Amino acid sequence: MHSPSGVELAGLASLVVAVPAVALLANSGRKHTGAARRAHLLLAAGAAIATAAALAGLLSSLFLVHAPIRLASAVAVAMALGTLTLLVGTLMLPGAAESPGAAVRHLLDGFVVAAALWFVGWVLVSRPTRLLGDQTPARCLSMLLPAGVAVIALGLTAVLAMHAHRPRHVTVRVAAGVSLVALAATALSAGICRGWAGVVLLGAVLLPGGLVVVARAVKIADRPVEVVGDVTQRNTGYAFVPMSALVAAFGYHLAVGGRLDVFGFLGVSIEGFALVARQYLALADVKRHTLRLRQRETHFRELAHTDPLTGLANRRGLVRALREPPARERARVLVGLDLDGFKNVNDMRGHDVGDAVLTEVGRRLGANLRDGDVAARLGGDEFAVLMWATPEEAMVAGKRLLAVLSEPYETEDGSVFLSASVGVADSPAPGDTGELMRDADLALRYAKQRGKNRVERYQKRYDELLRRHSVLENELRHAIEREQLRLVFQPVVALPSMRPVGAEALLRWHHPELGAVRPDEFIPVAEESGLISMIGSWVLDQACRQLAQWLAGGHDVWVSVNMSPKELHAADYAAQVAEVLERYHVPPQRLVLEVTEHAVATDMDELIRRLCELRSTGVRIALDDFGAGYSSLGQLRNLPVDILKIDHALVAEPESRTGTAAPLVDVVVRLGHRLGLEVLAEGIGTPAQRAIVEEAGCRLGQGSLFGWGVPAEHLQAQLETVRSSGARPVPVQRARPPVPPSAPARSQVIMLGPGMRQVRALLPTDPAFVTEDGSRTSDQDVRSVDAPREMGQS
């Protein structure tokens, strides 16, 4: 035992400072959970082991004067164990590595750097270099273990400085503190072994300094870090620097006559094995990363070919299935499906209900497919099914799917009822993907045009019709400027005198190459393409111009012009009519605008509002084709119309069970008169039909018996011949006659025309619609007209 020197006491005092740092690390570990808690507790444990070993070694060196080498070895082993525990805790800190595998990779990278440092150090202290000369601690083999741990700590610090997750400064500070502890362990071991008081003091100062750095750094180690798990973003070029240093040192060592001993061989071996192991792990990482990329690519490829709402294939998925080689020796058939009226579901009930319906459609399609069939949602409410079958089998399957899709759809807002249209196209050739989809789309389009809720199989003539449709649309856009359109006028005559009192303007199109195109062919094309408004404006302008010329010539006539539903619902149509009338100075009552009965099936409130706007300009409104649609007498009472045009189907109706031809003409004429309407019978083609209409009391007639549509000059010639005989009064606005005394009534169920529903009306008992005092019954006698009822109701 000897008296401690001032240096030794200073070193002991410095080690005491490490105790609070150990306490701080232990307290930090208790405040955390999970992986962070384990990392902090490992750091606290390593710090405690290193501090205890240092205190025990220094106290022993103060009071024991023998066996310094054994004491140094014990201190080296204990402090190396504590330092290794600190290194493990550092690798487990959040942000140091994303996984245990990454921690192993960091450790191997640290070994690469450490082996190079070890080898360079060995070259410097071994013969013949002997950088420290006689002070080289060759006899203290115990310091080799903490020295090796120190170079590993330094190498790991360098690796974490390059590869730890951002922000890296926390992890690097912890690793740097551990490196100071490792250097302190080396210094204490060497100082105790050689009796160097200054080196012991250095180690005693470095140990608490390193632990304080670690304790302060872990206090902010819980901040979020930017995790980078992509192996392509890892840089391994740093391995060239240690290898270059190793090769340079070894070359210098050999150049000055040195030899490779066991310690140099150890450094080279560790370097080689660490590089091989690191390369193996790197290749394994690349393989795993490549596998994940392939799996993700497959997943995203499937997502790119899958509809996210229904889980069916999308258009890309269908095209991919069409391009695949056939799995069976059978023809491919594509079935196109489209929901009828689905837009109303979205508009009236919202898109959530619409999505629920589409999801159910996808489920029903998937449940009714055979193995190998592919169902796809092409967009919106359009679906398709690719199957391997004969066209006949596909037609049967299409009818089955039509029935399945027509079943009610139960939603949170109640049941939804929809029908569907189906188009079937087959193609045995394997490379006609686009053509097959086009054929199915054509068949689906014609299923829509032919009434919906049906299955249509593609036919070659559909191509001609489509081509014809396209040509008509393109040519119709320039028909006005090329002066290909013209108006003809079909006379309206007064009955029974057959004197022309008005005319209906009819549109004709004569193309220089296509010839005469029928109105029933190009009018639907104009409506579908949006050209009907432009054409309707031209017709209105030309008709009013001709009417102004006739009126200026002294002819007391009126002209009627047909309105399309799109024109009627245009916001500025009434203003447009008023502007044309003012431009040509035409009295408004001379112009009659005809609206078809099919327009009555739309929103009644909106229709009445639009007709009232037109009627406020002074023009007259005619309800065309009455008897061919589904309008009721109740609707007729509310519509602001002035003229009722009886459909030609009623005029030409054969004898019924009553034995009378066209029996409904009499009913409609009398009802129209009771409602204060002028009645015009269309389609009169024979004298017999004329006689029936006259007998019914109809005062206006139109049809081939009185003339077809002719140019304006021809009709003007007819007007010239009858100018001296007087003119037919202009139709007046609808007025209600005075209310007569009530008359007994009877209930009668009538049918207004082909396809019309039965209605209940209260009619006067007198077949001649005349009361006992000889006056006509008024509009009040038919106020009890009911709304349309289903066929067969009483």
Side-chain angles (χ1 to χ4, degrees):
M1 182 173 179
H2 68 281
S3 298
S5 64
V7 175
E8 291 173 332
L9 291 176
L12 184 61
S14 297
L15 288 178
V16 174
V17 179
V19 176
V22 175
L24 288 175
L25 288 172
N27 184 55
S28 177
R30 288 193 298 269
K31 292 180 179 180
H32 292 81
T33 58
R37 179 184 179 88
R38 290 192 294 270
H40 288 196
L41 290 179
L42 280 174
L43 290 173
I49 294 172
T51 302
L55 285 172
L58 187 55
L59 288 173
S60 298
S61 67
L62 291 177
F63 300 102
L64 296 178
V65 295
H66 60 279
I69 296 179
R70 291 183 179 180
L71 179 60
S73 298
V75 172
V77 172
M79 293 195 70
L81 179 61
T83 306
L84 288 175
T85 305
L86 285 169
L87 288 176
V88 174
T90 302
L91 288 174
M92 293 182 62
L93 280 175
E98 69 269 13
S99 65
V104 173
R105 289 192 300 270
H106 290 339
L107 187 59
L108 287 174
D109 291 338
F111 270 109
V112 171
V113 178
L117 292 175
W118 175 275
F119 191 85
V120 172
W122 168 78
V123 169
L124 294 178
V125 300
S126 64
R127 294 181 186 276
T129 305
R130 303 281 290 179
L131 182 65
L132 299 179
D134 294 338
Q135 301 298 321
T136 302
R139 294 185 297 108
C140 295
L141 298 179
S142 58
M143 65 172 292
L144 293 178
L145 180 60
V149 175
V151 295
I152 293 175
L154 291 173
L156 186 61
T157 301
V159 170
L160 291 178
M162 292 182 291
H163 287 177
H165 301 308
R166 298 182 180 89
R168 298 185 177 126
H169 65 276
V170 174
T171 308
V172 173
R173 286 172 61 183
V174 173
V178 175
S179 299
L180 290 177
V181 174
L183 292 174
T186 304
L188 284 172
S189 301
I192 293 174
C193 178
R194 297 297 298 269
W196 292 339
V199 175
V200 171
L201 178 61
L202 177 63
V205 172
L206 289 178
L207 178 63
L211 293 181
V212 169
V213 171
V214 173
R216 290 180 60 85
V218 296
K219 290 182 64 176
I220 57 175
D222 294 331
R223 294 180 181 177
V225 295
E226 179 186 349
V227 178
V228 179
D230 189 355
V231 298
T232 61
Q233 298 186 22
R234 299 174 190 159
N235 183 14
T236 57
Y238 67 91
F240 290 98
V241 176
M243 281 299 300
S244 300
L246 188 148
V247 171
F250 187 58
Y252 171 75
H253 184 67
L254 293 178
V256 297
R259 294 182 302 173
L260 185 65
D261 60 9
V262 64
F263 298 107
F265 178 76
L266 179 63
V268 174
S269 300
I270 293 176
E271 181 79 8
F273 280 109
L275 285 175
V276 171
R278 184 62 184 86
Q279 185 65 19
Y280 174 79
L281 292 179
L283 290 176
D285 283 347
V286 171
K287 288 181 180 179
R288 285 193 295 269
H289 185 69
T290 303
L291 180 60
R292 285 196 297 268
L293 287 180
R294 289 179 179 176
Q295 292 174 346
R296 291 177 182 177
E297 182 182 0
T298 302
H299 174 68
F300 287 119
R301 185 182 295 114
E302 290 302 318
L303 287 181
H305 292 84
T306 303
D307 176 61
L309 180 62
T310 62
L312 304 178
N314 58 14
R315 186 178 294 274
R316 291 191 187 93
L318 179 63
V319 172
R320 182 179 63 176
L322 285 169
R323 291 175 178 173
E324 292 178 353
R328 308 175 185 176
E329 295 298 328
R330 307 185 72 177
R332 299 182 306 169
V333 180
L334 187 61
V335 180
L337 306 101
D338 190 89
L339 300 178
D340 301 329
F342 177 76
K343 186 177 183 299
N344 294 331
V345 177
N346 280 336
D347 294 342
M348 301 301 295
R349 301 201 181 188
H351 288 273
D352 291 339
V353 175
D355 290 346
V357 171
L358 293 176
T359 303
E360 176 63 16
V361 170
R363 189 197 65 80
R364 294 182 186 182
L365 288 179
N368 287 272
L369 296 182
R370 303 174 303 179
D371 293 339
D373 293 347
V374 178
R377 179 188 175 211
L378 305 183
D381 60 335
E382 186 178 356
F383 295 81
V385 176
L386 175 64
M387 59 179 60
W388 303 95
T390 63
E392 291 73 18
E393 292 173 340
M395 290 293 292
V396 174
K399 293 178 181 178
R400 184 181 72 251
L401 293 176
L402 185 66
V404 168
L405 297 182
S406 298
E407 295 177 359
Y409 297 86
E410 301 298 332
T411 65
E412 295 180 356
D413 292 349
S415 299
V416 175
F417 298 91
L418 293 172
S419 62
S421 300
V422 180
V424 178
D426 61 283
S427 177
D432 55 354
T433 299
E435 183 177 353
L436 183 59
M437 296 182 68
R438 185 183 64 87
D439 293 349
D441 186 65
L442 276 178
L444 178 60
R445 178 188 299 185
Y446 281 97
K448 287 276 192 183
Q449 292 181 355
R450 294 183 177 182
K452 305 178 181 180
N453 194 26
R454 59 186 294 139
V455 181
E456 284 288 339
R457 181 181 174 185
Y458 170 77
Q459 301 178 22
K460 288 186 177 181
R461 65 184 184 89
Y462 290 171
D463 286 328
E464 299 178 1
L465 295 176
L466 177 63
R467 191 178 301 108
R468 172 83 173 180
H469 184 281
S470 178
V471 170
L472 290 179
E473 180 178 344
N474 292 334
E475 295 298 321
L476 194 57
R477 295 181 183 276
H478 309 285
I480 295 178
E481 61 186 60
R482 295 172 181 172
E483 299 182 352
Q484 297 173 359
L485 298 180
R486 63 187 180 92
L487 291 183
V488 297
F489 298 87
Q490 186 175 26
V492 175
V493 302
L495 298 176
S497 65
M498 294 194 300
R499 178 187 309 154
V501 294
E504 179 179 359
L506 303 174
L507 182 62
R508 295 293 183 263
W509 181 21
H510 184 83
H511 191 273
E513 297 179 0
L514 302 177
V517 185
R518 300 191 314 273
D520 59 352
E521 185 180 12
F522 71 81
I523 292 299
V525 174
E527 292 180 344
E528 182 178 347
S529 61
L531 298 173
I532 191 65
S533 298
M534 177 184 68
I535 295 176
S537 298
W538 182 86
V539 171
L540 179 64
D541 182 87
Q542 296 297 311
C544 289
R545 174 184 294 181
Q546 184 59 57
L547 178 59
Q549 294 178 2
W550 284 335
L551 294 177
H555 303 295
D556 192 8
V557 294
W558 45 271
V559 170
S560 63
V561 176
N562 292 280
M563 292 184 297
S564 72
K566 290 186 177 181
E567 288 181 289
L568 177 61
H569 290 86
D572 60 342
Y573 187 66
Q576 178 184 349
V577 171
E579 190 272 333
V580 173
L581 292 173
E582 183 179 0
R583 182 191 310 159
Y584 295 107
H585 306 288
V586 173
Q589 65 270 20
R590 299 285 181 171
L591 177 64
V592 177
L593 298 178
E594 298 187 11
V595 56
T596 60
E597 189 192 9
H598 296 286
V600 179
T602 61
D603 185 357
M604 280 299 299
D605 294 337
E606 175 68 12
L607 177 65
I608 291 175
R609 187 175 69 85
R610 295 295 183 183
L611 292 179
C612 287
E613 289 180 0
L614 286 174
R615 213 157 175 252
S616 65
T617 64
V619 301
R620 302 293 167 257
I621 306 297
L623 182 60
D624 197 11
D625 299 333
F626 185 77
Y630 293 90
S631 60
S632 68
L633 297 182
Q635 292 173 331
L636 185 61
R637 285 178 50 82
N638 297 325
L639 286 175
V641 297
D642 305 287
I643 302 175
L644 189 64
K645 299 186 71 172
I646 305 176
D647 187 71
H648 63 87
L650 298 186
V651 176
E653 186 179 9
E655 292 187 1
S656 64
R657 59 186 178 182
T658 62
T660 305
L664 293 180
V665 171
D666 180 79
V667 175
V668 175
V669 170
R670 294 179 185 274
L671 284 176
H673 288 166
R674 295 305 174 273
L675 295 175
L677 302 177
E678 188 68 74
V679 182
L680 190 156
E682 292 184 294
I684 302 176
T686 64
Q689 293 172 356
R690 170 196 164 193
I692 293 172
V693 170
E694 290 180 356
E695 184 179 356
C698 184
R699 294 188 288 266
L700 297 174
Q702 182 181 354
S704 60
L705 183 64
F706 314 116
W708 297 100
V710 294
E713 55 271 18
H714 294 182
L715 182 59
Q716 183 172 348
Q718 297 180 28
L719 296 175
E720 293 287 350
T721 60
V722 297
R723 175 184 296 181
S724 59
S725 62
R728 169 77 167 87
V730 176
V732 296
Q733 275 202 350
R734 174 178 177 177
R736 299 189 181 277
V739 180
S742 60
R746 59 183 175 86
S747 178
Q748 181 177 350
V749 178
I750 64 173
M751 176 71 75
L752 291 183
M756 292 192 63
R757 301 178 180 178
Q758 287 183 339
V759 297
R760 178 180 296 277
L762 288 179
L763 304 178
T765 56
D766 186 357
F769 290 86
V770 179
T771 59
E772 293 180 358
D773 59 358
S775 62
R776 287 185 176 273
T777 57
S778 74
D779 183 38
Q780 301 291 330
D781 291 322
V782 289
R783 286 189 183 277
S784 58
V785 177
D786 294 336
R789 303 186 179 222
E790 295 295 334
M791 183 70 72
Q793 281 187 320
S794 60

